[in-house]
Amino acid sequence: MTASGSGDPAGEAQRLARWALIAMGVAGAALLTALGSGLLILLSGVVGLAASAVGVWWFLAHRGPLRLLGAVLAVAAPLVTLYLYVVGGVWVNALVALGLWGVALSCARSALRRPEDERDALMRGEPVAPPRRPVLIMNPKSGGGKVERFRLVARAEALGARVVLLDPSEPADVAGLARKAVAEGADLLGVAGGDGTQALVAEVAAEHDLPFLVVSAGTRNHFAMDLGLDRTDPARCLDALRDGEELRVDLGDVAGRPFVNTVSFGVYADVVQRPEYRDAKAGTALDVLPDLLQGGEGDRLDATADSTLLTGQQALLVSNNPYAAPDPFGAVAARRTRLDRGELGVIGVRVDGAAQAAELAVLGTQATGLNVLTARRVEVGGGPGGAGAVISVAVDGEALTLPTPVVCTLRPRALRVLVPRDRPGSPVPPPPLDWRRLTRLAFPEEPVRSDLPGPRTP
């Protein structure tokens, strides 16, 4: 295969696609060679796979004893299948087929990867002079105490910043504190805290056209991740105070409130509204998931994304710029490759029964129950309640209730974000597997042109 950086990227994509299809075919042949002595055992693998899928379905879509049984079945079915393969003597064939399948997946993703995905892994801005009077607002409770654990106050002050430390015992007017800092002469506003707190201060920074500093001291730090910041060591974000560059990114608006990441409606918002969500996010989401997967118990929403009407949605996610690999279940690894394209990402989920839910689980973004699109403006109604109905909304993970219609828009490049020039960037998300596109790459109708852009080997 052509080495990375070669002058024939389109031809390389074709070769990788062909290797993927060849590896997949040989994997199937490795299993077929065992048919003579282990047909029933090989068929047991298919049964085991189906049983495991059923177990996962029961675990996600039900509560109580059936969920427990599903967990046991999902784990036990592969183990029993593995035992039968070893006893039946076809484990070598299965192991070879599994390895070849891994090769096929690797080659397929490399062939489908676009060069712009790698270029977008780290947004680049303009070098700027260090701020003279930076003010940072820090939440000592955020991220389980990262402010104290990483000595962020002392490190920020050593770099010339004034730190406003929030009092955990009482609610704080974060936006008010930011405006007071501006009135006192601050030339930069920053936040060490969660995404919701960051959005409030970012709004003030955008109002006054001041640079904004993100310190990844929250729990998940989605905004920091998409800016390419170091989420393992928030102190590295402070390097921007002495050697930084400025990015211009979009700032979201929902009903007059800013957001930097997402606005969630329906089942998504119901999860965040629960009191136990902050301390047990995964467990709370797992408890609500059956309502979505079994056909949607609860209210549905109608929305309009520009001119596209989305009716009867059980869950709706509106993001500040679209996610590279849309995930209806909100995977932690999902990320946005750019924050400056001036478009909202929209993910709507409508499941009308178990069959459609199963299709969603298997086909992902290709399922009929999933709508993935971009828009400049999204208006969300209240379903049966109509205009004026109050609905649950989660803005950057913060639970709210708002009257309908709820309108989401973007202010393109409204926010000046100061980031360190030396930062890790974000991992390039793998492209979705599209076997039809892969086949067209491997056997194009027209000869491959070497001057066309194509992927590079990772």
Side-chain angles (χ1 to χ4, degrees):
M1 284 179 277
T2 306
S4 177
S6 71
D8 187 14
E12 180 187 352
Q14 183 186 61
R15 284 186 286 274
L16 286 169
R18 289 179 175 178
W19 276 113
L21 296 176
I22 290 171
M24 187 170 60
V26 177
L31 290 177
L32 291 175
T33 57
L35 286 178
S37 58
L39 176 59
L40 293 179
I41 296 174
L42 286 175
L43 290 177
S44 73
V46 178
V47 174
L49 181 63
S52 182
V54 170
V56 171
W57 171 259
W58 285 352
F59 179 74
L60 294 176
H62 297 83
R63 300 183 179 93
L66 197 55
R67 168 168 284 179
L68 179 60
L69 179 60
V72 172
L73 185 60
V75 174
L79 293 178
V80 171
T81 301
L82 179 62
Y83 173 77
L84 291 175
Y85 272 45
V86 172
V87 171
V90 296
W91 65 272
V92 174
N93 301 74
L95 190 62
V96 169
L98 186 63
L100 288 169
W101 178 247
V103 171
L105 290 180
S106 178
C107 291
R109 291 196 184 279
S110 296
L112 294 170
R113 181 169 292 157
R114 300 172 301 177
E116 57 265 32
D117 293 337
E118 295 185 23
R119 291 197 300 267
D120 289 348
L122 185 65
M123 290 187 292
R124 283 297 182 187
E126 295 294 329
V128 293
R132 295 180 179 180
R133 302 187 65 181
V135 175
L136 305 184
I137 298 173
M138 297 191 179
N139 183 357
K141 290 182 61 179
S142 186
K146 288 183 179 179
V147 169
E148 180 178 355
R149 191 160 67 249
F150 289 92
R151 300 177 55 248
L152 296 181
V153 174
R155 293 186 178 188
E157 291 177 341
L159 291 169
R162 179 166 70 88
V163 175
V164 178
L165 201 60
L166 301 180
D167 186 350
S169 64
E170 57 185 44
D173 180 8
V174 178
L177 292 172
R179 289 190 173 90
K180 180 182 177 182
V182 174
E184 294 172 349
D187 62 353
L188 174 141
L189 296 175
V191 175
D195 290 327
T197 305
Q198 288 173 1
L200 295 175
V201 179
E203 167 78 356
V204 179
E207 285 177 3
H208 296 274
D209 195 31
L210 292 178
F212 176 66
L213 177 67
V214 176
V215 182
S216 56
T219 302
R220 293 189 176 181
N221 302 295
H222 285 166
F223 191 45
M225 175 179 68
D226 295 335
L227 289 169
L229 300 176
D230 191 337
R231 295 190 297 165
T232 62
D233 183 3
R236 287 189 61 187
C237 301
L238 298 174
D239 292 343
L241 294 175
R242 60 185 175 190
D243 183 23
E245 61 181 14
E246 192 174 284
L247 307 175
R248 280 280 186 176
V249 304
D250 305 331
L251 185 62
D253 182 280
V254 52
R257 181 187 177 97
F259 69 95
V260 295
N261 290 327
T262 59
V263 182
S264 307
F265 302 87
V267 174
Y268 290 144
D270 291 342
V271 171
V272 179
Q273 293 284 340
R274 297 199 174 195
E276 63 271 24
Y277 171 76
R278 190 158 298 279
D279 296 324
K281 291 180 171 63
T284 307
L286 197 61
D287 188 50
V288 175
L289 200 55
D291 296 338
L292 172 62
L293 294 181
Q294 291 189 58
E297 298 174 11
D299 296 335
R300 295 187 177 226
L301 298 164
D302 296 333
T304 303
D306 287 343
S307 59
T308 302
L309 182 62
L310 303 173
T311 59
Q313 305 295 297
Q314 290 141 277
L316 191 70
L317 184 75
V318 179
S319 59
N320 174 5
N321 283 265
Y323 282 90
D327 180 2
F329 302 115
V332 176
R335 61 173 294 267
R336 297 161 290 178
T337 56
R338 303 289 300 193
L339 293 169
D340 57 359
R341 287 183 171 144
E343 290 184 317
L344 296 165
V346 183
I347 303 175
V349 181
R350 175 172 176 168
V351 178
D352 294 320
Q356 200 169 37
E359 180 194 26
L360 178 65
V362 173
L363 298 182
T365 56
Q366 304 302 314
T368 56
L370 187 68
N371 293 291
V372 179
L373 62 154
T374 59
R376 303 273 180 179
R377 182 181 186 274
V378 178
E379 180 176 314
V380 182
V390 177
I391 60 173
S392 297
V393 183
V395 181
D396 285 335
E398 301 294 326
L400 302 173
T401 55
L402 297 174
T404 57
V406 179
V407 177
C408 302
T409 56
L410 271 186
R411 283 176 277 171
R413 300 173 64 85
L415 185 61
R416 300 165 55 190
V417 181
L418 185 67
V419 296
R421 280 197 284 181
D422 180 19
R423 61 191 189 279
S426 298
V428 180
L433 285 175
D434 186 337
W435 293 102
R436 290 182 180 178
R437 182 182 165 217
L438 188 75
T439 303
R440 289 195 298 269
L441 279 174
F443 305 103
E445 295 181 359
E446 298 180 0
V448 175
R449 290 172 51 190
S450 61
D451 60 329
L452 292 177
R456 292 181 294 172
T457 304

